[in-house]
Amino acid sequence: PAPQGRSRPLAAAKPRVLVVGGCDVDQRIDLMRALADRFSFAAAGSAPELEPAFRRAGMPYHVYPLRRGLSPLGDLRSFWRLARLVRQLRPEIVHTFDTKPSVWGRLAARLAGAPIVVGTLPGLGSLYTTARAGIVRRIYERLQRWSSAASDATVFQNGDDLRQFVAAGIVPERRASIIPGSGVRTDVLAPGAVSAATRRRLRREWGAGGSAVVVTMVSRVMRSKGVLDFAAAADAVRREQPATVFVLAGPLDRDSLDRLSDDELDRVRRSVLWIGPRSDIPAILRASDIFVLPSYYREGIPRSLLEAAAMALPIVTTRSPGCSAAVEHDRTGLLVPLKDPVALAEAVARLVADPRLRRRLGDAARGDACRRFDLDVVADQVGSLYDDLLQRGGYPARPHTRANGESRGAAPQPDPAGVRPTCNA
């Protein structure tokens, strides 16, 4: 029920939702726009440079301080700033995303009297893949237990993460649910949405001749994303199929617990074409023939896999929880064991040598992306969760419809700054 003194919205009013994230909270803009006919959104994030993107989307954006890693004083500042923001905006729902925002954002929202608090945990991250993170992980789990107890719902992106946290007593089972990601624009991320001329231009830049097969990985450059395995597989495949081109797109993550050493980065540069952070991901995928993500990072549902699937690319990825939730072995892609560059190379070589298999897997991947991970499909699940929690709290029931059967809104505009910051607070 709504706290004393807070008026419930009229049936005709849109419930107000504050979305809290870190420096990449703009990844939720499409989801917010897809639900904007039913809810009124504002966002809070840690990057001031994201304000123009939210302004173009017609949504208020508020900045609060947030530091990566263990920072007790910094975390306290985040907590109090978010609590003040919730008191100021008085949203009916606070929905947090990512690791630290889903701890401090949920606790702050509850302290500030938000009627409904929801947290989405998109993966468990390097805390669950790096041995030296043990102490930090224990602190995080205690904080996560408190914030989950203070929440009306905790959303996971795959069943393995949900079962692990429920079994450990971190999240109450009755308040846990699964929503597979934040949705992808399968109308924008589609092979036909990128011109053949753009595909040819990029392939020329990469030195990929007409018959060359381009194998691409899009990821932050860090150990647990499998970057070293990708480099090793590239060396192995090219020994048998020298015309194959391996492309790595993504920023270097020097702040990660499992960052690469300078020697390891030199090894990557010798083995693959590292093109750095890019904002033209649909074009890069259109210019590729195979997508690879050899991650053993505890992904939720890797967005890069969903984008590659939407672009009808065959995928090679690992049997880690989030990756295997997005790819079905031998139907939409090939799954390989974690930390196994030999198996990775064999799977890539199989696809390089068999264009018919590439087409079969890619077509099935595109179908899955449209049926399971499309923005409208995911938005309907999020909207239904909001509606259910609002009704439980005594708010008026609302019809579950899109205004005039409209589409999800205008296509996202390119960021004039060129490259959107990428990180994981």
Side-chain angles (χ1 to χ4, degrees), residues 151-218:
S151 301
D152 298 277
T154 298
V155 179
F156 296 88
Q157 294 188 344
N158 66 71
D160 291 282
D161 290 353
L162 183 152
R163 286 186 288 272
Q164 179 173 336
F165 268 42
V166 168
I170 298 171
V171 176
E173 185 173 13
R174 68 186 182 281
R175 299 182 190 172
S177 60
I178 298 174
I179 297 177
S182 294
V184 291
R185 289 285 303 271
T186 59
D187 55 341
V188 174
L189 283 154
V194 179
S195 70
T198 298
R199 171 180 164 88
R200 290 193 298 269
R201 175 180 60 78
L202 286 174
R203 291 173 70 90
R204 282 196 303 270
E205 291 177 7
W206 301 340
S211 61
V213 175
V214 175
V215 183
T216 297
M217 176 178 176
V218 177

Coordinates of all heavy atoms in Angstrom, one line a residue, residues 151-218:
S151 N 12.6 -5.0 -1.3 CA 12.0 -4.8 -2.6 C 10.7 -5.6 -2.8 O 10.5 -6.6 -2.1 CB 13.0 -5.3 -3.7 OG 14.2 -4.6 -3.6
D152 N 9.9 -5.1 -3.7 CA 8.7 -5.9 -4.0 C 8.9 -7.0 -5.1 O 8.2 -7.9 -5.1 CB 7.6 -4.9 -4.6 CG 7.2 -3.9 -3.5 OD1 6.4 -4.2 -2.7 OD2 7.8 -2.8 -3.5
A153 N 10.0 -6.8 -5.8 CA 10.4 -7.8 -6.9 C 11.8 -7.7 -7.2 O 12.4 -6.5 -7.3 CB 9.5 -7.6 -8.1
T154 N 12.5 -8.8 -7.4 CA 13.8 -8.9 -7.9 C 13.8 -9.6 -9.2 O 13.3 -10.8 -9.3 CB 14.8 -9.5 -6.9 OG1 14.9 -8.8 -5.7 CG2 16.2 -9.6 -7.5
V155 N 14.3 -9.0 -10.3 CA 14.2 -9.6 -11.6 C 15.5 -10.1 -12.1 O 16.5 -9.3 -12.0 CB 13.6 -8.5 -12.7 CG1 13.6 -9.1 -14.1 CG2 12.3 -8.0 -12.2
F156 N 15.6 -11.3 -12.5 CA 16.8 -11.9 -13.1 C 16.6 -12.1 -14.6 O 15.5 -12.1 -15.1 CB 17.1 -13.3 -12.5 CG 17.4 -13.2 -11.0 CD1 16.4 -13.3 -10.0 CD2 18.7 -13.1 -10.6 CE1 16.7 -13.2 -8.7 CE2 19.0 -13.0 -9.2 CZ 18.0 -13.1 -8.3
Q157 N 17.7 -12.2 -15.3 CA 17.6 -12.4 -16.8 C 17.8 -13.9 -17.2 O 17.5 -14.2 -18.3 CB 18.7 -11.5 -17.4 CG 18.4 -10.0 -17.3 CD 19.2 -9.1 -18.1 OE1 20.3 -9.5 -18.6 NE2 18.8 -7.9 -18.2
N158 N 18.2 -14.7 -16.3 CA 18.2 -16.2 -16.6 C 17.9 -17.0 -15.3 O 18.1 -16.5 -14.2 CB 19.6 -16.5 -17.2 CG 20.7 -16.4 -16.2 OD1 20.9 -17.2 -15.3 ND2 21.6 -15.4 -16.5
G159 N 17.5 -18.2 -15.6 CA 17.1 -19.1 -14.5 C 18.2 -19.5 -13.5 O 18.0 -19.7 -12.4
D160 N 19.5 -19.7 -14.1 CA 20.6 -20.1 -13.2 C 20.8 -19.1 -12.1 O 21.1 -19.4 -11.0 CB 21.8 -20.3 -14.1 CG 21.7 -21.5 -15.0 OD1 21.8 -22.6 -14.5 OD2 21.4 -21.3 -16.2
D161 N 20.9 -17.8 -12.5 CA 21.1 -16.7 -11.5 C 20.0 -16.7 -10.4 O 20.3 -16.6 -9.2 CB 21.2 -15.4 -12.2 CG 22.5 -15.2 -13.0 OD1 23.3 -16.1 -13.0 OD2 22.6 -14.2 -13.7
L162 N 18.8 -16.8 -10.9 CA 17.6 -16.8 -9.9 C 17.8 -18.0 -9.0 O 17.7 -17.8 -7.7 CB 16.3 -16.9 -10.7 CG 15.0 -16.9 -9.9 CD1 13.9 -16.3 -10.7 CD2 14.6 -18.3 -9.4
R163 N 18.0 -19.2 -9.5 CA 18.1 -20.4 -8.6 C 19.3 -20.2 -7.6 O 19.1 -20.6 -6.4 CB 18.2 -21.6 -9.4 CG 16.9 -22.0 -10.1 CD 17.0 -23.4 -10.8 NE 17.9 -23.3 -12.0 CZ 17.4 -23.0 -13.2 NH1 16.2 -22.7 -13.4 NH2 18.2 -22.9 -14.3
Q164 N 20.4 -19.7 -8.1 CA 21.5 -19.6 -7.2 C 21.2 -18.6 -6.0 O 21.6 -18.9 -4.9 CB 22.8 -19.1 -8.0 CG 24.0 -18.9 -7.1 CD 25.2 -18.5 -7.9 OE1 25.3 -18.9 -9.1 NE2 26.2 -17.9 -7.3
F165 N 20.6 -17.5 -6.3 CA 20.4 -16.5 -5.3 C 19.2 -16.9 -4.4 O 19.3 -16.6 -3.2 CB 20.0 -15.1 -5.9 CG 21.2 -14.2 -6.1 CD1 22.4 -14.8 -6.6 CD2 21.2 -12.9 -5.8 CE1 23.6 -14.0 -6.7 CE2 22.3 -12.1 -6.0 CZ 23.5 -12.6 -6.4
V166 N 18.2 -17.6 -4.9 CA 17.2 -18.1 -4.0 C 17.7 -19.2 -3.1 O 17.4 -19.2 -1.9 CB 16.0 -18.7 -4.9 CG1 15.0 -19.5 -4.0 CG2 15.3 -17.5 -5.6
A167 N 18.5 -20.1 -3.7 CA 19.1 -21.2 -2.9 C 20.0 -20.7 -1.7 O 20.1 -21.3 -0.7 CB 19.9 -22.2 -3.8
A168 N 20.7 -19.6 -2.0 CA 21.6 -19.0 -1.0 C 20.8 -18.1 0.0 O 21.5 -17.6 0.9 CB 22.7 -18.2 -1.7
G169 N 19.5 -18.0 -0.2 CA 18.8 -17.2 0.7 C 18.9 -15.7 0.5 O 18.6 -14.9 1.4
I170 N 19.5 -15.3 -0.6 CA 19.7 -13.8 -0.9 C 18.4 -13.2 -1.3 O 18.2 -12.0 -1.0 CB 20.8 -13.7 -1.9 CG1 22.1 -14.3 -1.4 CG2 21.0 -12.2 -2.3 CD1 23.2 -14.4 -2.4
V171 N 17.6 -13.9 -2.1 CA 16.4 -13.3 -2.7 C 15.2 -14.2 -2.3 O 15.3 -15.4 -2.5 CB 16.5 -13.2 -4.2 CG1 15.1 -12.7 -4.8 CG2 17.6 -12.2 -4.6
P172 N 14.2 -13.7 -1.7 CA 13.0 -14.5 -1.4 C 12.4 -15.1 -2.7 O 12.2 -14.3 -3.7 CB 12.0 -13.6 -0.7 CG 12.9 -12.4 -0.3 CD 14.0 -12.3 -1.3
E173 N 12.1 -16.4 -2.8 CA 11.6 -16.9 -4.0 C 10.3 -16.3 -4.5 O 10.1 -16.1 -5.7 CB 11.4 -18.5 -3.9 CG 11.0 -19.2 -5.1 CD 11.0 -20.7 -5.0 OE1 11.1 -21.2 -3.8 OE2 11.0 -21.4 -6.0
R174 N 9.4 -16.0 -3.6 CA 8.1 -15.4 -3.9 C 8.2 -14.1 -4.6 O 7.3 -13.6 -5.2 CB 7.2 -15.4 -2.7 CG 7.6 -14.3 -1.7 CD 6.8 -14.4 -0.4 NE 7.2 -13.3 0.6 CZ 8.2 -13.4 1.4 NH1 9.0 -14.5 1.3 NH2 8.5 -12.4 2.2
R175 N 9.4 -13.4 -4.4 CA 9.6 -12.1 -5.1 C 10.5 -12.1 -6.2 O 10.9 -11.0 -6.7 CB 10.1 -11.1 -4.0 CG 9.1 -10.9 -2.8 CD 9.7 -9.9 -1.9 NE 8.9 -9.8 -0.6 CZ 9.3 -9.1 0.4 NH1 10.4 -8.4 0.4 NH2 8.6 -9.1 1.5
A176 N 10.9 -13.3 -6.7 CA 11.9 -13.4 -7.8 C 11.2 -13.8 -9.1 O 10.2 -14.5 -9.1 CB 12.9 -14.5 -7.5
S177 N 11.6 -13.2 -10.2 CA 11.1 -13.5 -11.5 C 12.1 -13.3 -12.6 O 13.2 -12.9 -12.3 CB 9.9 -12.5 -11.8 OG 10.3 -11.2 -11.8
I178 N 11.8 -13.8 -13.8 CA 12.8 -13.7 -14.9 C 12.2 -12.9 -16.0 O 11.0 -13.2 -16.5 CB 13.1 -15.1 -15.4 CG1 13.8 -16.0 -14.3 CG2 14.0 -15.1 -16.7 CD1 14.0 -17.4 -14.7
I179 N 12.9 -11.9 -16.5 CA 12.6 -11.2 -17.7 C 13.9 -11.2 -18.6 O 14.9 -10.7 -18.1 CB 12.1 -9.8 -17.5 CG1 10.8 -9.8 -16.7 CG2 11.9 -9.0 -18.8 CD1 10.3 -8.4 -16.3
P180 N 13.9 -11.8 -19.8 CA 15.1 -12.0 -20.5 C 15.7 -10.7 -21.2 O 15.6 -10.5 -22.4 CB 14.7 -13.0 -21.5 CG 13.3 -12.8 -21.8 CD 12.7 -12.3 -20.5
G181 N 16.3 -9.9 -20.4 CA 17.0 -8.7 -20.9 C 16.1 -7.5 -21.0 O 15.0 -7.4 -20.4
S182 N 16.6 -6.4 -21.6 CA 15.8 -5.2 -21.8 C 15.2 -5.0 -23.2 O 14.7 -4.0 -23.5 CB 16.7 -4.0 -21.5 OG 17.1 -4.0 -20.1
G183 N 15.3 -6.1 -24.0 CA 14.7 -6.0 -25.3 C 15.6 -5.4 -26.4 O 16.4 -4.5 -26.1
V184 N 15.5 -5.9 -27.6 CA 16.3 -5.3 -28.7 C 15.4 -4.9 -29.8 O 14.3 -5.5 -30.0 CB 17.4 -6.4 -29.2 CG1 18.5 -6.6 -28.2 CG2 16.7 -7.7 -29.6
R185 N 15.7 -3.9 -30.5 CA 14.9 -3.4 -31.6 C 15.2 -4.2 -32.8 O 16.1 -4.0 -33.6 CB 15.3 -1.9 -31.9 CG 14.9 -0.9 -30.8 CD 13.4 -0.6 -30.9 NE 13.0 -0.1 -32.2 CZ 13.0 1.1 -32.6 NH1 13.4 2.1 -31.7 NH2 12.6 1.5 -33.8
T186 N 14.4 -5.3 -33.0 CA 14.6 -6.2 -34.2 C 14.2 -5.5 -35.5 O 14.5 -6.1 -36.5 CB 13.8 -7.5 -34.0 OG1 12.4 -7.2 -33.8 CG2 14.3 -8.2 -32.7
D187 N 13.5 -4.4 -35.4 CA 13.3 -3.6 -36.7 C 14.5 -2.8 -37.1 O 14.8 -2.7 -38.3 CB 12.0 -2.7 -36.5 CG 12.1 -1.8 -35.3 OD1 13.0 -2.0 -34.4 OD2 11.4 -0.8 -35.3
V188 N 15.2 -2.3 -36.1 CA 16.5 -1.6 -36.4 C 17.6 -2.5 -36.6 O 18.5 -2.3 -37.5 CB 16.7 -0.6 -35.3 CG1 18.1 0.1 -35.5 CG2 15.6 0.5 -35.2
L189 N 17.7 -3.5 -35.7 CA 18.7 -4.5 -35.8 C 18.2 -5.7 -36.7 O 17.7 -6.7 -36.3 CB 19.1 -5.1 -34.4 CG 20.0 -4.1 -33.6 CD1 19.8 -4.4 -32.2 CD2 21.5 -4.4 -34.0
A190 N 18.4 -5.5 -38.0 CA 17.9 -6.4 -39.0 C 18.9 -6.3 -40.2 O 19.4 -5.3 -40.5 CB 16.5 -6.1 -39.5
P191 N 19.1 -7.5 -40.8 CA 20.1 -7.4 -42.0 C 19.7 -6.4 -43.0 O 20.6 -5.7 -43.5 CB 20.0 -8.9 -42.5 CG 19.6 -9.7 -41.3 CD 18.7 -8.8 -40.6
G192 N 18.5 -6.3 -43.3 CA 18.1 -5.3 -44.4 C 18.1 -3.9 -44.0 O 18.0 -3.0 -44.8
A193 N 18.4 -3.6 -42.7 CA 18.4 -2.2 -42.2 C 19.8 -1.5 -42.4 O 19.9 -0.3 -42.2 CB 18.1 -2.2 -40.7
V194 N 20.8 -2.3 -42.8 CA 22.1 -1.8 -43.1 C 22.4 -2.1 -44.6 O 22.2 -3.2 -45.1 CB 23.2 -2.4 -42.2 CG1 24.5 -1.9 -42.6 CG2 22.8 -2.2 -40.7
S195 N 22.9 -1.1 -45.3 CA 23.1 -1.2 -46.7 C 24.2 -2.1 -47.1 O 25.2 -2.3 -46.3 CB 23.3 0.2 -47.4 OG 24.6 0.7 -47.0
A196 N 24.1 -2.7 -48.3 CA 25.2 -3.5 -48.8 C 26.4 -2.7 -49.0 O 27.6 -3.2 -48.8 CB 24.8 -4.2 -50.1
A197 N 26.3 -1.4 -49.3 CA 27.5 -0.6 -49.5 C 28.2 -0.4 -48.2 O 29.5 -0.4 -48.2 CB 27.0 0.8 -50.1
T198 N 27.5 -0.3 -47.1 CA 28.2 -0.1 -45.8 C 28.9 -1.4 -45.4 O 30.0 -1.4 -44.9 CB 27.1 0.2 -44.7 OG1 26.5 1.4 -45.0 CG2 27.8 0.2 -43.3
R199 N 28.3 -2.6 -45.7 CA 28.9 -3.9 -45.5 C 30.2 -3.9 -46.3 O 31.3 -4.3 -45.7 CB 28.0 -5.0 -45.9 CG 28.6 -6.4 -45.8 CD 27.6 -7.5 -46.2 NE 28.3 -8.7 -46.6 CZ 28.6 -9.7 -45.7 NH1 28.3 -9.5 -44.5 NH2 29.2 -10.8 -46.1
R200 N 30.2 -3.6 -47.6 CA 31.4 -3.7 -48.4 C 32.5 -2.7 -47.9 O 33.7 -3.1 -47.9 CB 31.0 -3.4 -49.8 CG 30.2 -4.4 -50.5 CD 30.2 -4.2 -52.0 NE 29.5 -3.0 -52.4 CZ 28.2 -2.8 -52.6 NH1 27.4 -3.9 -52.5 NH2 27.7 -1.7 -53.0
R201 N 32.1 -1.5 -47.5 CA 33.1 -0.5 -47.0 C 33.8 -1.0 -45.8 O 35.1 -1.0 -45.7 CB 32.4 0.8 -46.7 CG 33.3 1.8 -46.1 CD 32.6 3.1 -45.8 NE 31.5 3.0 -44.9 CZ 31.6 2.9 -43.6 NH1 32.8 2.8 -43.0 NH2 30.6 2.7 -42.8
L202 N 33.1 -1.6 -44.8 CA 33.7 -2.0 -43.6 C 34.6 -3.2 -43.9 O 35.7 -3.3 -43.3 CB 32.7 -2.4 -42.5 CG 32.0 -1.2 -41.9 CD1 30.8 -1.7 -41.0 CD2 33.0 -0.4 -41.0
R203 N 34.2 -4.1 -44.7 CA 35.0 -5.3 -45.0 C 36.3 -4.9 -45.7 O 37.3 -5.5 -45.5 CB 34.2 -6.3 -45.8 CG 33.1 -7.0 -45.0 CD 32.1 -7.8 -45.9 NE 32.8 -9.0 -46.3 CZ 32.8 -10.2 -45.7 NH1 32.2 -10.3 -44.5 NH2 33.4 -11.2 -46.2
R204 N 36.2 -3.9 -46.6 CA 37.4 -3.4 -47.2 C 38.4 -2.8 -46.1 O 39.6 -3.0 -46.2 CB 37.1 -2.3 -48.2 CG 36.6 -2.8 -49.6 CD 36.6 -1.7 -50.6 NE 35.9 -0.5 -50.3 CZ 34.6 -0.3 -50.5 NH1 33.9 -1.3 -51.2 NH2 34.1 0.8 -50.2
E205 N 37.8 -2.0 -45.2 CA 38.6 -1.5 -44.1 C 39.3 -2.6 -43.3 O 40.5 -2.4 -42.8 CB 37.8 -0.6 -43.2 CG 37.3 0.7 -43.8 CD 36.4 1.4 -42.9 OE1 36.3 1.0 -41.7 OE2 35.8 2.4 -43.3
W206 N 38.7 -3.7 -43.2 CA 39.2 -4.8 -42.4 C 40.1 -5.7 -43.2 O 40.7 -6.7 -42.6 CB 38.1 -5.6 -41.7 CG 37.2 -4.8 -40.9 CD1 37.5 -3.6 -40.2 CD2 35.8 -5.1 -40.5 NE1 36.4 -3.2 -39.5 CE2 35.4 -4.1 -39.6 CE3 35.0 -6.2 -40.8 CZ2 34.1 -4.1 -39.1 CZ3 33.7 -6.2 -40.2 CH2 33.3 -5.2 -39.4
G207 N 40.2 -5.5 -44.5 CA 41.1 -6.3 -45.3 C 40.4 -7.7 -45.6 O 41.1 -8.7 -45.9
A208 N 39.1 -7.7 -45.6 CA 38.4 -8.9 -45.9 C 37.9 -8.9 -47.3 O 37.1 -8.1 -47.7 CB 37.1 -9.1 -45.0
G209 N 38.6 -9.8 -48.2 CA 38.2 -9.9 -49.6 C 36.8 -10.5 -49.7 O 36.2 -10.9 -48.8
G210 N 36.4 -10.6 -51.0 CA 35.1 -11.0 -51.3 C 34.7 -12.4 -50.7 O 33.6 -12.6 -50.3
S211 N 35.7 -13.3 -50.7 CA 35.4 -14.7 -50.2 C 35.8 -14.9 -48.8 O 35.6 -16.0 -48.2 CB 36.1 -15.7 -51.1 OG 37.5 -15.5 -51.0
A212 N 36.3 -13.9 -48.1 CA 36.8 -14.0 -46.7 C 35.6 -14.1 -45.8 O 34.5 -13.6 -46.0 CB 37.6 -12.8 -46.3
V213 N 35.8 -14.9 -44.7 CA 34.8 -15.0 -43.7 C 35.2 -14.1 -42.5 O 36.4 -14.2 -42.0 CB 34.6 -16.5 -43.2 CG1 33.7 -16.5 -42.0 CG2 34.1 -17.3 -44.3
V214 N 34.3 -13.2 -42.0 CA 34.7 -12.3 -40.9 C 34.0 -12.8 -39.7 O 32.8 -13.1 -39.6 CB 34.2 -10.9 -41.2 CG1 34.4 -10.0 -40.0 CG2 34.9 -10.3 -42.5
V215 N 34.9 -13.0 -38.7 CA 34.4 -13.5 -37.3 C 34.6 -12.4 -36.4 O 35.7 -11.8 -36.2 CB 35.3 -14.7 -36.9 CG1 34.8 -15.3 -35.5 CG2 35.3 -15.8 -37.9
T216 N 33.5 -12.0 -35.7 CA 33.5 -10.8 -34.9 C 33.1 -11.0 -33.4 O 32.2 -11.9 -33.2 CB 32.5 -9.7 -35.5 OG1 33.0 -9.4 -36.8 CG2 32.4 -8.5 -34.6
M217 N 33.8 -10.3 -32.6 CA 33.4 -10.3 -31.1 C 33.2 -8.9 -30.7 O 34.0 -8.0 -31.0 CB 34.5 -10.9 -30.3 CG 34.3 -10.9 -28.8 SD 35.7 -11.7 -27.9 CE 35.2 -11.4 -26.2
V218 N 32.1 -8.6 -30.0 CA 31.8 -7.2 -29.5 C 31.7 -7.4 -28.0 O 30.9 -8.1 -27.5 CB 30.5 -6.6 -30.1 CG1 30.2 -5.3 -29.5 CG2 30.6 -6.5 -31.6

